[in-house]
Amino acid sequence: QDYGKAREWWEKAAAQENASAANNLGLLYKEGQGVAQDYDKARQWLEKAAIRGNAAAQGNLAVLYYEGKGVAQDYGKAHEWLEKAAAQGHADAQYNLGVLYDNGDGVAQDYAQARAWYEKAAARGHAKAQYNLAILYYQGNGVPQDINKGREWLEKAAAQGHAPAQYHLGVLYRDGQGVPQDYVKARAWFEKAAAQNDARALFNLGALYYSGIDVPKDIDKAREYFAQAAAQGDEAAKEALQKLGK
């Protein structure tokens, strides 16, 4: 991609009040693509677009306030811009509003509100929202605990390649939580997540090969998976390697 050429065109369009171009310029400066990374310039461009009602820019500006990049960290302003974007049906903003309420960042922790915003984003196919909604159902936060609904949302997220959802589906089948215990399915889901370097999935694959559950016992393969998980800081994998003498 030629970010330099793109920037030239977007600058021309932004000079003519094109909010989408201003948002794109903001992202270039935020990510340092074709320009030196500059959060202050990112904020300036995103503000121009956000004030003109561009939902993507409103959501992106909210993230700057949430992370305190180019501005003083301000959860209140993040919340304000997220609400504007979410009201326009912006799925990322709806998801991020859910996270604010889930964590109690700048707002009173409110699982019911978190669920409501996750549901809006999840209905638009937002994988992270689908995953977080699944966790609310598993834990019974803001909703009556419902393992089946949790699994349904996990499956939707996992089908989109969301590694944590794939890992959690592996756990469900390994332990028989709300589904018949099935080590073949557990291993398949762990493998999908492990292919994306999910440390917990790598550790669990190692554990399957170490124990010889549904696979031939293979200490070398177990060690290999434990090492990959340990390299990402997984404490259980580090302990397992120590027990294996490495």
Side-chain angles (χ1 to χ4, degrees), residues 9-75:
W9 283 109
W10 287 333
E11 282 176 347
K12 288 175 182 175
Q16 296 178 45
E17 310 294 303
N18 184 304
S20 180
N23 174 62
N24 290 338
L25 284 170
L27 290 179
L28 284 190
Y29 282 105
K30 180 176 182 282
E31 304 300 333
Q33 293 172 325
V35 291
Q37 191 173 50
D38 187 329
Y39 289 118
D40 188 52
K41 278 191 176 171
R43 176 189 56 77
Q44 290 174 34
W45 282 114
L46 291 174
E47 273 183 352
K48 288 177 190 291
I51 289 165
R52 292 183 196 132
N54 183 279
Q58 291 168 343
N60 290 327
L61 185 58
V63 171
L64 289 187
Y65 277 108
Y66 183 83
E67 296 175 347
K69 289 177 176 174
V71 289
Q73 190 175 47
D74 188 330
Y75 289 136

Side-chain angles (χ1 to χ4, degrees), residues 210-226:
Y210 178 80
S211 305
I213 298 174
D214 188 56
V215 288
K217 190 179 176 85
D218 188 331
I219 300 301
D220 288 336
K221 214 164 195 179
R223 183 182 283 110
E224 185 182 318
Y225 280 122
F226 289 150

Side-chain angles (χ1 to χ4, degrees), residues 107-156:
V107 291
Q109 190 175 47
D110 187 330
Y111 290 124
Q113 280 272 33
R115 175 186 57 79
W117 285 113
Y118 287 151
E119 280 180 343
K120 288 179 188 292
R124 292 175 177 274
H126 196 288
K128 288 181 180 178
Q130 292 169 342
Y131 172 73
N132 283 11
L133 190 54
I135 299 305
L136 290 184
Y137 276 109
Y138 273 107
Q139 296 175 345
N141 288 333
V143 288
Q145 189 176 41
D146 189 329
I147 301 297
N148 288 326
K149 271 200 174 166
R151 189 188 76 255
E152 286 171 15
W153 284 113
L154 280 182
E155 286 172 345
K156 290 178 190 293

